Amino acid sequence: MTTSVPSPHPQRRSLAYRSLDAKRIIEGIVALRGRIQETFPRAGLSRIAGEIELVALESAERAAYCAEPQWHVRAVAILLTVIGLTGVFIFVTNVNINLSAMTASQILQDTYNILNDTILFSIGILFLWSCEGRIKRSRALKALHELRSLAHIVDMHQLTKDPDNLGRNEDTNLAKGPVNRRELVRYLMFCSDLLGTLGKISALYAQEFQDGTVLNAVTEIEGLSTSLSQKIWQKISMIEAGELRSNTTRTLPA
């Protein structure tokens, strides 16, 4: 029996499935928005889906900004660093210190001043070189705050949908939301899908910008989306269980 020997140069696997693709996420949101508008054209949920699509487009640009080096910020930091080091070099080369003519207290005082100035200069250099990260962090956190607000808005829309309030509008053509239990379940599923897309959008920032504060904010949004989605699915389960009991009761003989 012969056994196949693996090739010494196996074909490399594609890296397309090892990272999130902003374009694919946006395409999924566009498709979801189309389904919502087709099913509930007058509902506010379709407008929210459009807003999430817009936020996804903006987030793709912001995440790309966070991933790329900002050379104009680095150029300013380099320029100020060179100026500072040049000033320190000029000062050190031109100062004359006569230790024999100085008392112990004067030496200690000058040593303290030199150490203090060195520490302050080092802090200033670190501040300059951290400006790029702080600018990126600020933009990312602002965008993540928008995603968090959208998650709560989606949740508010599903909270107002109750099976007991269905069918009160006689003209179903004028209804802005679900008019029966089947449509209500589909409406709630759309809400859960929108919450899932918000989690995926937030993950773009964690993928492109490795910052502890941003990672914590992304984890918070993903946890919030998952928690709200679980509550929605619990509501769907209760609605389907109630409909099943209702159908069973109607089919039982008198």
Side-chain angles (χ1 to χ4, degrees):
M1 182 178 62
T2 59
T3 58
S4 60
V5 179
S7 172
H9 302 288
Q11 184 178 3
R12 288 191 176 184
R13 293 184 178 181
S14 173
L15 299 179
Y17 298 102
R18 300 189 183 184
S19 61
L20 289 172
D21 188 349
K23 181 180 179 181
R24 296 290 186 182
I25 294 176
I26 294 172
E27 289 175 354
I29 296 174
V30 171
L32 177 59
R33 178 178 62 84
R35 293 197 301 270
I36 295 175
Q37 288 183 342
E38 182 180 357
T39 309
F40 305 105
R42 294 174 53 82
L45 193 65
S46 62
R47 293 191 292 273
I48 294 177
E51 188 67 23
I52 292 177
E53 179 185 346
L54 179 61
V55 171
L57 292 170
E58 295 175 350
S59 296
E61 296 178 356
R62 291 172 178 174
Y65 172 87
C66 293
E68 297 176 354
Q70 303 304 311
W71 296 111
H72 60 286
V73 178
R74 296 185 182 185
V76 173
I78 292 173
L79 177 61
L80 294 178
T81 301
V82 171
I83 293 175
L85 291 176
T86 302
V88 171
F89 177 78
I90 294 174
F91 172 78
V92 171
T93 54
N94 290 322
V95 66
N96 294 320
I97 301 177
N98 187 3
L99 296 177
S100 60
M102 298 174 63
T103 63
S105 60
Q106 290 176 336
I107 294 175
L108 291 176
Q109 182 65 34
D110 291 343
T111 302
Y112 171 80
N113 292 333
I114 292 173
L115 290 176
N116 187 50
D117 293 340
T118 302
I119 292 173
L120 292 177
F121 180 77
S122 301
I123 293 175
I125 295 297
L126 292 175
F127 177 82
L128 286 175
W129 285 98
S130 64
C131 282
E132 180 181 357
R134 287 185 287 106
I135 292 173
K136 291 180 178 180
R137 184 186 305 118
S138 177
R139 293 195 177 190
L141 292 178
K142 181 179 179 181
L144 292 171
H145 178 71
E146 294 177 356
L147 295 176
R148 187 183 299 108
S149 299
L150 283 171
H152 287 292
I153 292 173
V154 172
D155 184 57
M156 287 299 298
H157 274 72
Q158 70 87 15
L159 286 175
T160 60
K161 301 300 180 290
D162 193 325
D164 297 333
N165 296 327
L166 296 175
R168 292 188 177 182
N169 191 347
E170 297 180 357
D171 190 354
T172 57
N173 293 327
L174 298 178
K176 295 184 178 181
V179 296
N180 53 56
R181 289 179 180 268
R182 180 175 297 179
E183 288 190 358
L184 176 58
V185 169
R186 192 169 186 184
Y187 185 96
L188 294 176
M189 287 182 176
F190 282 146
C191 291
S192 178
D193 292 339
L194 289 176
L195 289 172
T197 59
L198 292 174
K200 298 299 180 293
I201 295 172
S202 66
L204 288 174
Y205 293 96
Q207 176 178 266
E208 302 296 349
F209 185 44
Q210 301 297 323
D211 179 82
T213 305
V214 173
L215 291 176
N216 291 334
V218 170
T219 302
E220 179 186 349
I221 294 176
E222 290 179 335
L224 174 64
S225 301
T226 302
S227 176
L228 296 177
S229 182
Q230 288 176 349
K231 292 180 180 179
I232 292 175
W233 279 102
Q234 290 176 358
K235 190 173 184 180
I236 292 174
S237 299
M238 294 175 62
I239 294 172
E240 292 179 341
E243 184 176 5
L244 179 61
R245 287 195 298 268
S246 178
N247 293 335
T248 305
T249 303
R250 286 197 297 267
T251 56
L252 289 175

